[in-house]
Amino acid sequence: MEQQYRAASPRPASRLAVGVVSAGRVGSVVGAALERAGHRVVAASAVSDASLERAARHLPAAEILSPHQVAAAADLLLIAVPDDAIAPLVASLPVRPGQIWAHTSGALGAAALAPARDAGALTIALAPVMTFTGRAEDLERLAGISWAITGEAESRYVGEALVLEMGGEPEHIDEADRARYHAALVYAANHLMTLVNDAADQLRAIGVNEPQRLLAPLVSASLDNALRHGDAGLTGPVSRGDAGTVAAHLGALAGTGIEDTYRALARRTAERALDSGRLKPADAEGLLDVLSERRSAHPEEETP
């Protein structure tokens, strides 16, 4: 079914004149990917020195114009501004019936472009499932990634065609599911960054000079195990029910600022280990007692 659906998806009939608002970390890179696919970025908005530099690097043929002028010049208008800025920006720009309008927000669906849709544009939420750091590798990282597409039927087809042209994999997300979809990505990607950096801080605090070098093989293998094997790839003291080890960890982390985070994640790990059969209920009793908030908050009330 998937192959038949993709074969039936129409491709843009001609190369499109693309306008980018604005040439930030995401907009400049997605604009460059569209150029690689054969479209022409004819205009972009850029105000800060960093955006002007990115436009010069990724979109050298684009004329730097105001957002209003960019919208007027584009067949395909790519809106890549912060989430909260999308709705007021869309309401302020001119719309030409038959234009394609797309935004790159992961959190928002096509409803954010409703004023443009009502004025005759075809509107798509078109979000790359990738992190953008502003470094040179951002463009190369787009190869083969997934893109979340939300829109009405014709819009979805056009969005799918654009993604396939850029070498990506389209993933259709319903409008009502965008927030949950985006929460899952943030939970995995942004919180992973926080966890790794917190771990590096703890190692640095005890004298490890290059914690990133120490952590890289372990964290990389753990991520690979999670993606390949799911809960079956879980290892460590929680999956074994080693309550004494976990208690020692909590004691060592007291006052570091991450004790509560460790406790919450260990409890969630225990739940997944129990549900998957990795941890037996009998082995979990002592562990869950160590992880209980009551035990932590009121040690004087514990039973000897």
Side-chain angles (χ1 to χ4, degrees):
M1 288 293 290
E2 182 71 11
Q3 293 296 328
Q4 293 175 358
Y5 177 72
R6 288 188 180 176
S9 298
R11 297 171 63 84
S14 61
R15 300 303 87 189
L16 299 169
V18 179
V20 179
V21 181
S22 66
R25 292 181 179 183
V26 180
S28 60
V29 172
V30 176
L34 287 166
E35 283 210 321
R36 281 189 174 185
H39 302 288
R40 296 177 301 112
V41 178
V42 297
S45 68
V47 176
S48 70
D49 290 343
S51 292
L52 289 167
E53 187 276 328
R54 280 189 288 263
R57 175 158 41 104
H58 290 299
L59 311 171
E63 188 175 2
I64 304 302
L65 301 172
S66 70
H68 189 283
Q69 292 170 315
V70 173
D75 300 322
L76 165 60
L77 182 64
L78 184 71
I79 297 175
V81 298
D83 296 352
D84 291 345
I86 292 176
L89 176 65
V90 171
S92 73
L93 297 179
V95 182
R96 188 171 69 250
Q99 282 180 309
I100 303 169
W101 283 44
H103 73 66
T104 60
S105 167
L108 302 177
L113 301 172
R117 179 202 62 207
D118 294 344
L122 186 151
T123 56
I124 322 162
L126 192 69
V129 185
M130 181 47 63
T131 182
F132 294 82
T133 64
R135 295 184 173 87
E137 62 266 24
D138 286 349
L139 180 57
E140 304 311 320
R141 282 176 169 171
L142 292 186
I145 70 164
S146 295
W147 295 65
I149 299 173
T150 300
E152 297 176 356
E154 184 180 359
S155 300
R156 290 200 306 271
Y157 298 154
V158 171
E160 184 176 74
L162 291 169
V163 167
L164 292 173
E165 286 182 335
M166 288 186 285
E169 291 289 332
E171 187 73 40
H172 297 290
I173 307 295
D174 288 343
E175 186 83 30
D177 293 331
R178 289 292 292 212
R180 188 173 186 181
Y181 152 81
H182 194 243
L185 300 191
V186 168
Y187 190 89
N190 300 155
H191 295 175
L192 175 62
M193 184 78 67
T194 300
L195 288 171
V196 171
N197 287 332
D198 277 349
D201 287 345
Q202 298 307 309
L203 294 171
R204 198 176 290 111
I206 61 170
V208 176
N209 292 324
E210 297 183 56
Q212 291 84 356
R213 181 179 62 81
L214 184 150
L215 286 169
L218 173 67
V219 174
S220 298
S222 296
L223 177 60
D224 184 65
N225 286 342
L227 295 175
R228 287 176 181 268
H229 308 299
D231 289 321
L234 180 63
T235 63
V238 171
S239 69
R240 297 190 297 267
D242 288 341
T245 299
V246 172
H249 291 175
L250 291 170
L253 294 174
T256 64
I258 67 168
E259 178 189 2
D260 290 343
T261 303
Y262 181 100
R263 186 187 306 277
L265 288 171
R267 188 181 299 112
R268 180 63 186 135
T269 301
E271 291 169 355
R272 294 197 68 94
L274 280 166
D275 290 343
S276 64
R278 304 284 294 175
L279 178 63
K280 303 303 180 187
D283 296 330
E285 291 182 8
L287 176 67
L288 294 175
D289 180 58
V290 166
L291 293 172
S292 69
E293 292 181 5
R294 181 178 181 277
R295 174 186 174 121
S296 172
H298 306 287
E300 71 280 1
E301 298 178 10
E302 292 178 23
T303 301

